[in-house]
Amino acid sequence: VVLYTANLSGVAARITFSTAGDIETVTQRIIKSLFTKYNDYNIQVLTSYHCLTTFRKDLPFPFSPRFTSSHIRCEVTDKEGIVLVEDEDVTPTPSGHQRAIMQICGAHIVTGKKGLVDVDLMIHSDLCGSVPQWVMNMQNKGVGKMLVWTAKQVENKTGAVGC
């Protein structure tokens, strides 16, 4: 897991891993596993390649929890899979929450060596509001752990197929 900084505010991490399976199956497992570790996770299947997800991310007291709503779309060809996560701002933010914005998020899945599938997964989210650097650092580590957890779900084939 690589924690990185960008010119955008927020928290970010990136992970690259290889796993057994075909591009279609791995892409669907990523969609099904991404963000499920967070509180109040909800997924609404719109099509087999498009979902609407919402979740809550708790921050330490006295900061209010962050609420995220995102469209997850994917496209698969015989050579690659793409997972794109786009911020969705139509769903109302629950009372007592601060809206977080998904700035850059997604995955690129390609056939690798020895019959494995290579996955590059990245998240960059703006927590919005006034959040001190020590909280951002703590949340960066949490995003990295969430990506490792997602990779393990994909590798262990526990992510259910279908959005």
Side-chain angles (χ1 to χ4, degrees):
V1 176
V2 177
L3 302 179
Y4 71 97
T5 56
N7 292 332
L8 304 170
S9 62
V11 295
R14 178 179 172 190
I15 187 171
T16 301
F17 63 97
S18 297
T19 187
D22 60 74
I23 292 173
E24 171 79 28
T25 303
V26 170
T27 300
Q28 291 295 329
R29 286 187 182 130
I30 289 169
I31 290 171
K32 202 61 173 174
S33 301
L34 197 58
F35 306 128
T36 57
K37 192 168 176 70
Y38 290 125
N39 295 327
D40 297 335
Y41 175 81
N42 184 33
I43 185 167
Q44 179 184 358
V45 177
L46 303 175
T47 71
S48 59
Y49 294 98
H50 181 198
C51 306
L52 176 64
T53 63
T54 58
F55 63 89
R56 186 186 82 220
K57 175 78 175 120
D58 290 327
L59 296 180
F61 180 81
F63 305 102
S64 51
R66 295 326 197 234
F67 174 79
T68 300
S69 180
S70 302
H71 286 281
I72 301 178
R73 303 180 203 288
C74 74
E75 186 166 327
V76 178
T77 68
D78 58 336
K79 297 184 182 203
E80 69 180 348
I82 303 290
V83 176
L84 174 64
V85 181
E86 299 174 293
D87 192 64
E88 186 272 341
D89 61 359
V90 176
T91 304
T93 303
S95 177
H97 291 69
Q98 171 81 34
R99 171 77 72 166
I101 299 170
M102 198 61 66
Q103 292 181 322
I104 302 169
C105 181
H108 186 229
I109 303 101
V110 296
T111 302
K113 296 178 181 177
K114 299 181 182 178
L116 296 175
V117 175
D118 294 337
V119 178
D120 193 9
L121 179 60
M122 183 183 125
I123 293 177
H124 189 121
S125 179
D126 185 354
L127 297 180
C128 299
S130 179
V131 180
Q133 191 60 47
W134 69 269
V135 175
M136 290 292 212
N137 292 342
M138 184 174 61
Q139 296 305 309
N140 262 332
K141 290 177 185 173
V143 169
K145 288 178 182 178
M146 191 273 298
L147 288 182
V148 169
W149 184 87
T150 300
K152 287 180 181 178
Q153 299 305 301
V154 172
E155 290 175 341
N156 294 332
K157 300 175 179 61
T158 57
V161 177
C163 185

